[in-house]
Amino acid sequence: MKKIAVTAALLFTILSQAQRYPKDFVSPLTISISLSANYGELRKNHFHSGLDMKTQQRSGLSVLAAQEGYISRINISAYGYGKAIYIDHPNGYTTVYGHLSELKGAIEERARKEQYKNKNYSVDFYLKPGEIPVKKGEVIALSGNTGGSGGPHLHFEVRDTQTEEILNPFLFGYDVNDHIKPMLRGSWIYPIKGTVNGSASKVVASEGGNYTVSGEVGFGVKAYDQQGGSQNLNGIYFIKIFVNDNLLSTFQADKHSFSETRYINASVDYPELIAHNNWIYRTYLLPGNTLQMYEQKVNRGIVKVEAGKTYKVKIEVGDYAGNVTTRSFTMNGVAYKNPDEDGKSKIENDKLVVNFKSPYIFKQDGLFINFEKDSFYEDFIFNYKKMGNNEYQVHKSSVPIHKKYEMIITPDWSNLDKSKADKYVIIRESNFGPLKKEYLDTSYESGTYKANPKDFGKFYLALDESVPSISCPMLSKSKKIGNKLVFKIKDTGSGINTYDVFIDGKWILAEYEYKQNSLFISNLEKEGIRAGKHQVEVIVTDKVNNKKIYTSDFEKL
């Protein structure tokens, strides 16, 4: 009876909360909703901010306005949401539609006008209220696979128009077939300032297990949700921790802001993620984690263990439909001896102590680093080592950072070619877990190199003289083509920065699809290119201004 009562209370809470939001939005697709990803799902450096709706593994499905309103923003990029439309609605909410293949009617005309005005495929601009009104259920676009999409689908969001907070679309009545309980793949006890079974490392907590703990401990959970008719492993809606039947902590994915989304790195076991790509939710808060998805009833979700006491722990993981999976185990408290008390723990250099609330500046060996306040989630001792000329180890990649920081390198030119000063770029490599190499966007000003990393690691200067490559397989086979022109562009160094196509000396709108290294014009006639002979020129530059130019004649049939 107790389990039934808890479930009923949970459903009452969900239903009560849901009543606060309007339920008059319609589905943005004409097919039944099936999800490849849900709101709040764990992603690299961010929480997933909407629902990814399946489109039958193809592009070109009609996308509908979920409610009447007006087009408030159009954002087109080779990355991120790709082609995206934003609609502001009279009820105070904004809906977002991403990874589109094609915009429709006046929306497309307005986007093209801006693209030709800026001579750039990528545009991001806002429209005046009422400039392009839309009706509920009106076709505004076709679904696609543009931007950072891993396959054809529609990314759909609901936001608070005034605050721009992203809200769980399930709150607005969107529903999917879901009678499957979440999968609880693992649970752990984390010694924060204590031990578990005599160890200072986390210990797996199994169903019905019994563990000896001391000091302060928290918990970690690995869990996924799954809906009917889909094999995708999605994010959990809520995680609740009870200790001796008292609610200790809650994680619930209802809403968050973009300024909060990087708190994901404090909300998971970040070292475990970096080393093993293993996603474990922390059910307790690090000191600097203020993500509103958490509601910690007691001591940030941390249990302060007392010797001689028994602690019965229950974990509940649930989905929005009210399906719940539980796990229970017992902890027995013993006395904790703080190792700091016997003098073994000592900070040798107070200058390297970072307070997570305060700004922190480090300057040494030609390296300058500036962290804003609230850049970290907890205090730590900064670790630094000069590895060689213009090469530095800056702390550990296993420590997450909340904000990008400023890095300036004043180079030692003894092993660099100063005549090519504008071709050097700062590279970051991870120094924890699998090796990853990242070219940072680097500026060269007044003899120094500047970048804004978002992670720790090893940093060094490297020369980028690799010129982007451009090819056109279709023109290499025949100079006579139909209504489409496709180029392959690629850069192996700092990355592609600009791409321009000119036909007969006139700038022509071309779409860049980085996932296929493709730059293409899908409809030459639409761009004013008629039948006959023409000359095309393609210019591509990378981020240190290495340039490649391709020219060719062709005949449009």
Side-chain angles (χ1 to χ4, degrees):
M1 292 298 293
K2 189 173 184 181
K3 183 176 180 181
I4 294 175
V6 170
T7 303
L10 168 65
L11 287 172
F12 176 78
T13 300
I14 292 174
L15 290 172
S16 297
Q17 183 183 45
Q19 296 303 317
R20 297 162 41 195
Y21 299 97
K23 302 296 187 295
D24 56 351
F25 284 124
V26 298
S27 173
L29 293 176
T30 57
I31 60 175
S32 61
I33 297 177
S34 179
L35 301 181
S36 58
N38 61 0
Y39 174 87
E41 197 165 293
L42 304 179
R43 298 288 179 87
K44 183 179 179 182
N45 294 322
H46 70 283
F47 292 97
H48 189 241
S49 55
L51 301 179
D52 282 353
M53 300 181 177
K54 294 185 177 183
T55 56
Q56 301 173 337
Q57 299 181 331
R58 60 192 176 98
S59 297
L61 273 64
S62 293
V63 176
L64 316 179
Q67 182 55 275
E68 67 171 318
Y70 70 91
I71 305 300
S72 57
R73 180 183 177 188
I74 299 173
N75 186 353
I76 298 177
S77 171
Y79 307 96
Y81 290 174
K83 296 181 180 179
I85 293 173
Y86 298 68
I87 303 177
D88 282 8
H89 305 284
N91 58 12
Y93 297 98
T94 298
T95 50
V96 183
Y97 313 76
H99 306 308
L100 307 170
S101 63
E102 182 182 326
L103 313 184
K104 284 294 187 179
I107 307 171
E108 184 198 26
E109 291 175 11
R110 184 68 177 82
R112 284 172 55 83
K113 180 180 178 181
E114 199 74 14
Q115 288 171 314
Y116 269 99
K117 174 185 173 182
N118 297 310
K119 292 186 177 180
N120 198 327
Y121 169 73
S122 297
V123 291
D124 184 10
F125 61 98
Y126 294 82
L127 291 83
K128 297 177 181 179
E131 183 177 343
I132 303 181
V134 293
K135 297 178 181 179
K136 183 177 183 176
E138 179 180 340
V139 177
I140 56 173
L142 299 181
S143 67
N145 186 31
T146 56
S149 170
H153 71 276
L154 174 67
H155 176 85
F156 177 72
E157 292 180 18
V158 182
R159 301 182 185 178
D160 184 302
T161 303
Q162 186 172 9
T163 67
E164 295 190 340
E165 286 183 312
I166 316 105
L167 305 163
N168 190 335
F170 283 156
L171 298 170
F172 294 82
Y174 290 100
D175 198 8
V176 294
N177 176 27
D178 190 357
H179 302 286
I180 303 172
K181 288 186 175 184
M183 292 169 279
L184 209 168
R185 292 283 182 86
S187 55
W188 289 262
I189 305 173
Y190 281 75
I192 297 166
K193 193 175 181 181
T195 61
V196 183
N197 291 349
S199 171
S201 301
K202 66 178 181 283
V203 171
V204 174
S206 302
E207 172 67 31
N210 199 301
Y211 306 92
T212 301
V213 297
S214 69
E216 297 181 357
V217 299
F219 306 101
V221 175
K222 182 177 182 178
Y224 299 99
D225 189 30
Q226 197 172 36
Q227 291 87 35
S230 174
Q231 298 300 312
N232 295 82
L233 300 180
N234 301 145
I236 290 297
Y237 177 56
F238 76 82
I239 302 172
K240 293 187 177 183
I241 305 294
F242 297 84
V243 177
N244 294 335
D245 295 325
N246 296 314
L247 181 62
L248 176 72
S249 70
T250 301
F251 169 89
Q252 187 160 304
D254 284 325
K255 63 179 180 178
H256 71 285
S257 65
F258 283 105
S259 63
E260 291 181 302
T261 195
R262 199 169 166 88
Y263 280 125
I264 189 172
N265 293 331
S267 304
V268 300
D269 184 338
Y270 192 74
E272 182 76 19
L273 172 64
I274 296 301
H276 305 295
N277 197 33
N278 192 22
W279 293 90
I280 300 175
Y281 291 86
R282 292 185 193 267
T283 69
Y284 62 96
L285 287 175
L286 297 181
N289 185 359
T290 60
L291 177 68
Q292 64 179 306
M293 290 183 186
Y294 281 99
E295 184 179 350
Q296 311 305 49
K297 300 292 185 181
V298 182
N299 195 34
R300 306 196 327 269
I302 296 170
V303 178
K304 293 185 176 181
V305 175
E306 296 183 31
K309 286 194 174 182
T310 299
Y311 301 85
K312 295 180 179 179
V313 180
K314 182 174 72 170
I315 299 172
E316 288 186 355
V317 296
D319 59 26
Y320 193 83
N323 302 303
V324 179
T325 300
T326 65
R327 176 164 296 172
S328 300
F329 51 88
T330 302
M331 303 189 307
N332 299 302
V334 296
Y336 172 64
K337 182 180 180 182
N338 189 339
D340 292 350
E341 294 175 355
D342 58 16
K344 293 181 180 178
S345 177
K346 184 179 179 181
I347 297 175
E348 296 181 358
N349 188 348
D350 289 341
K351 292 182 180 180
L352 297 180
V353 178
V354 177
N355 183 303
F356 75 90
K357 293 182 179 180
S358 303
Y360 182 73
I361 292 177
F362 179 83
K363 186 177 182 180
Q364 190 171 315
D365 303 320
L367 177 69
F368 174 85
I369 299 176
N370 181 24
F371 298 99
E372 297 180 12
K373 67 177 183 177
D374 300 319
S375 288
F376 305 103
Y377 306 117
E378 57 187 337
D379 296 347
F380 63 95
I381 301 174
F382 186 71
N383 178 274
Y384 162 81
K385 183 180 180 181
K386 184 177 182 182
M387 307 292 290
N389 286 350
N390 308 302
E391 185 175 337
Y392 314 91
Q393 175 185 299
V394 181
H395 205 61
K396 302 173 184 177
S397 303
S398 57
V399 174
I401 305 173
H402 190 64
K403 301 177 180 179
K404 290 182 178 181
Y405 59 97
E406 180 183 27
M407 172 179 284
I408 301 175
I409 296 177
T410 302
D412 176 353
W413 292 103
S414 61
N415 67 333
L416 303 178
D417 186 346
K418 199 167 185 177
S419 67
K420 301 176 180 178
D422 61 341
K423 300 299 183 183
Y424 283 92
V425 64
I426 299 176
I427 291 180
R428 173 194 167 270
E429 290 183 356
S430 58
N431 57 7
F432 182 86
L435 179 65
K436 294 180 180 179
K437 185 176 179 180
E438 176 186 9
Y439 284 83
L440 301 181
D441 289 343
T442 306
S443 63
Y444 178 64
E445 303 172 14
S446 303
T448 63
Y449 294 92
K450 299 180 181 181
N452 294 101
K454 58 181 182 291
D455 298 288
F456 286 130
K458 185 175 77 170
F459 297 85
Y460 57 93
L461 289 172
L463 184 63
D464 178 11
E465 293 185 289
S466 62
V467 177
S469 63
I470 308 173
S471 65
C472 186
M474 61 191 303
L475 289 183
S476 66
K477 294 179 181 179
S478 173
K479 299 294 184 181
K480 296 182 178 182
I481 63 172
N483 201 32
K484 188 172 184 177
L485 191 53
V486 182
F487 304 91
K488 291 293 182 180
I489 64 174
K490 190 175 182 180
D491 186 72
T492 58
S494 55
I496 289 174
N497 185 35
T498 66
Y499 42 89
D500 292 283
V501 178
F502 298 87
I503 296 181
D504 302 329
K506 178 184 176 183
W507 187 87
I508 298 295
L509 178 61
E511 183 171 344
Y512 176 43
E513 176 50 74
Y514 78 94
K515 298 188 292 292
Q516 281 82 42
N517 300 313
S518 177
L519 181 66
F520 61 92
I521 304 164
S522 57
N523 189 331
L524 287 166
E525 287 190 2
K526 189 175 183 179
E527 308 309 326
I529 308 304
R530 309 303 178 197
K533 294 182 178 181
H534 303 276
Q535 184 177 63
V536 62
E537 179 182 58
V538 182
I539 303 174
V540 178
T541 66
D542 67 11
K543 293 179 180 179
V544 292
N545 208 35
N546 292 309
K547 182 188 290 186
K548 179 71 173 181
I549 300 176
Y550 170 96
T551 59
S552 178
D553 295 324
F554 71 91
E555 182 179 354
K556 182 186 178 303
L557 300 177

